[in-house]
Amino acid sequence: MGVSKATWVWLLLAMLNGLDSRVAGKPWYCHGLDCPYFSVLDSNDRYETRRYRHGSWVSTTIETYLFAVAGPIGFRRLFRYIDEGNELGLKIPMTSPVTIETAPSCGPFCKQNYTVSFYLPKEFQDNPPKPTDPNVHIQTKKAATVFVRSTGGYRMDDMSVANMVNTLAQDLDADGKSYDAEMFVFAGYDPPFRLKGRHNEVWLRSLQEEALVDAF
């Protein structure tokens, strides 16, 4: 018995809807905003292994004592950049996530650098306008493989983030994974007014990249 044209259309739509949106760079927690492209290499109930493409980001570095202080300062600087604070005076669409990169804490009375970044939308990836703020710069990040631990929740303070990183590191150690212990990234996907369906991540960079095939 033949398959009707309507059935083939339905099957095609089902296949398209079933494609892993993470490969296209827009998982559900990006809520329709542009996100950096990645593919999932492996996944379990504790962490995910992702391969990110190279990409352009706008970044700023804050020297302070606390992660919780660096985030808001960096966000305001970067938001001014996308809100006409660039050489072309353009309004640039918001993207997701906002990342904060830093080293593990050197202690409660030690200042350290926190680099806060916005991913640039697709239309600005190749030729982003220059920032007018000297504290803001365009950064090209190389392709990288990262281990990712995810959680929900609203409050992401220094202790919460440290616990996420430590748990991820312990899981990677238990699995014999090699990773960069000198730096981690926090990725936040939600504005303060989103009360449900929140998504937060910490990333540790894999040191096993040479054993992986770069498909990008």
Side-chain angles (χ1 to χ4, degrees):
M1 183 172 63
V3 179
S4 69
K5 182 177 180 180
T7 301
W8 278 116
V9 171
W10 183 88
L11 287 171
L12 178 60
L13 290 174
M15 290 172 62
L16 291 174
N17 287 333
L19 288 175
D20 189 346
S21 64
R22 291 171 293 188
V23 174
K26 286 192 178 182
W28 67 266
Y29 41 82
C30 286
H31 299 285
L33 300 178
D34 271 1
C35 289
Y37 290 99
F38 69 87
S39 60
V40 178
L41 303 181
D42 192 21
S43 182
N44 56 51
D45 60 358
R46 296 165 296 148
Y47 61 87
E48 207 169 56
T49 307
R50 299 177 185 168
R51 181 65 176 172
Y52 276 90
R53 294 185 184 183
H54 71 277
S56 297
W57 299 65
V58 59
S59 304
T60 186
T61 299
I62 298 95
E63 185 183 27
T64 185
Y65 295 101
L66 295 172
F67 169 93
V69 171
I73 295 173
F75 184 92
R76 285 193 293 270
R77 287 182 189 173
L78 299 179
F79 189 82
R80 284 196 290 269
Y81 167 79
I82 67 172
D83 189 32
E84 301 182 358
N86 52 77
E87 63 178 359
L88 300 180
L90 297 174
K91 286 187 177 292
I92 298 173
M94 187 65 195
T95 60
S96 189
V98 178
T99 64
I100 304 176
E101 182 175 355
T102 189
S105 177
C106 55
F109 305 108
C110 175
K111 279 188 175 182
Q112 59 192 82
N113 288 333
Y114 298 84
T115 299
V116 185
S117 301
F118 288 1
Y119 179 69
L120 287 166
K122 287 181 290 185
E123 60 266 36
F124 295 100
Q125 277 292 304
D126 294 334
N127 190 27
K130 294 179 181 179
T132 55
D133 184 344
N135 293 311
V136 176
H137 62 278
I138 302 300
Q139 183 178 18
T140 301
K141 296 189 179 183
K142 296 179 180 179
T145 301
V146 296
F147 301 111
V148 181
R149 180 175 177 84
S150 303
T151 186
Y154 196 90
R155 183 173 178 174
M156 282 288 111
D157 55 18
D158 289 69
M159 186 64 70
S160 301
V161 173
N163 287 339
M164 285 183 69
V165 174
N166 288 336
T167 300
L168 176 57
Q170 290 170 8
D171 288 339
L172 295 175
D173 289 340
D175 290 349
K177 302 293 186 181
S178 179
Y179 60 91
D180 183 359
E182 301 300 317
M183 192 69 64
F184 74 88
V185 174
F186 171 82
Y189 289 82
D190 303 290
F193 53 78
R194 178 170 290 126
L195 302 180
K196 295 182 179 180
R198 299 183 65 83
H199 186 83
N200 308 292
E201 298 174 346
V202 291
W203 305 349
L204 289 172
R205 186 175 66 86
S206 171
L207 295 180
Q208 299 168 308
E209 292 182 0
E210 64 277 6
L212 298 171
V213 176
D214 183 2
F216 302 97

